[in-house]
Amino acid sequence: MKKIPLLDLKRSWEEIKEEVYKGWEEVFSTMKVLNGKYLQEFEKNWAEYLGVKYAFGCSCGTSALLMALIACGIEKGDEVLLQTNAFIADLEAIHWVGATPVLVEVDPNTFGPHLEDLYQKVTPKTKALLLVHMYGHPAEMDEIIKFCEKYGIILIEDASHAHGATYKGKKVGSFGKVGCFSCGPVKNLNCIGDGGVVVTDDDEVAFKIKFLRVHGQVEKNHFHFFGFNSRLDELQAVILNVRLKTLDQKNEKRRKIAKKYYEGLSDIKNLTLPPLDPDYKQSVYHRYVIRTPYRDELVTFLKERGIGTGYYYPIPLHLQKSYLTFYKNSISFPVAEKLAKESVAIPMYPELTDEEIEYIITCIRDFYKFKILI
Ligand SMILES: *Cc1c(COP(=O)(O)O)cnc(C)c1O
């Protein structure tokens, strides 16, 4: 039987390992493992790539979010808007700065926050919107920015699914006051281990983030404010520099795969595919998430045929125990709840072969042909 895992990281490693080993050799020979030239190179390259003034590597996406919120001055008493289909790290970051998360419904077309619900949830305490470009699909930025400007709300982007995605030619992560990226192992731009990066054009925010990563140590032995230890080490920076060179090419490959899935599956009834991009947006298909009322049966069927799948995410934030225990806020979001029940990710990585894509399409078609319609 063929085996097509949901994600296969070994394939891209084969492509980069020689160049990575060369960089590592140098790191090991000098033992300059932190704050070295590879980090500086990555920060410069990533800022240039996104078209922003500053980029700061850090230890992971979760810490990127936390530092972004702190650097924007968000604190106890403030409310932060967040779509309920986001990752738990988004909610945690809001929680740990002491602010109150205000969850909002999901727009089923973009998987971003539902615009009408955003307007409804604004109060005089609303300080920021934490926006996640889910699955690599850029949110509708014109509308989001109009909303933020109307109420003087700070926009913080979590672009951890969306390295390289564009909206009207501008890279996501560069719209907000701060942009956060995880570079964890499964992301489009990925370390082999944990890593993250924060970007901004704002000098004051940049200053804060630069030193939040190192305990607020602005001068040697002088700690100007409380921070953390959150650094991106040289071994990971070597990898990110190598991977960045082919990021656009790899994202293009993902879009081609998405197009193939679309051509192969879009006529099936009771199967909703991710939207194809309108001409002003470029998604990077971090995850290819399809929707069907027969989700769990489809997963079993595909598993029997060697195809891996995954749920992102099966329980929305407003139904998580951690949220309910702390905020005791029983709300319901029918769209997000339906999406959580019906969504499943199928394999999506640039190294998938045409044959594998064909096989996946055939298996999904067979499921509908033999299991559902008879
Ligand atoms: C992965 C991810 C994070 C957290 O990043 P880590 O590097 O794992 O800490 C945050 N937000 C989103 C949307 C993610 O996908």
Side-chain angles (χ1 to χ4, degrees), residues 26 61 120 136 150 167 186 191 221 237 239 265 293 295 301 314 369:
E26 190 183 336
Q120 274 183 6
K150 177 164 180 187
Y167 179 89
V186 305
C191 298
N221 296 321
I239 297 168
L265 298 169
R295 194 243 332 243
F301 187 88
K369 223 188 286 174

Side-chain angles (χ1 to χ4, degrees), residues 9 12 16-17 40 45 69 71 74 100 110 112 196 226 332:
L9 292 171
S12 64
I16 63 164
K17 71 177 183 193
Q40 278 170 20
N45 290 342
L69 290 164
I74 290 155
T100 306
T110 63
F226 290 113
S332 79

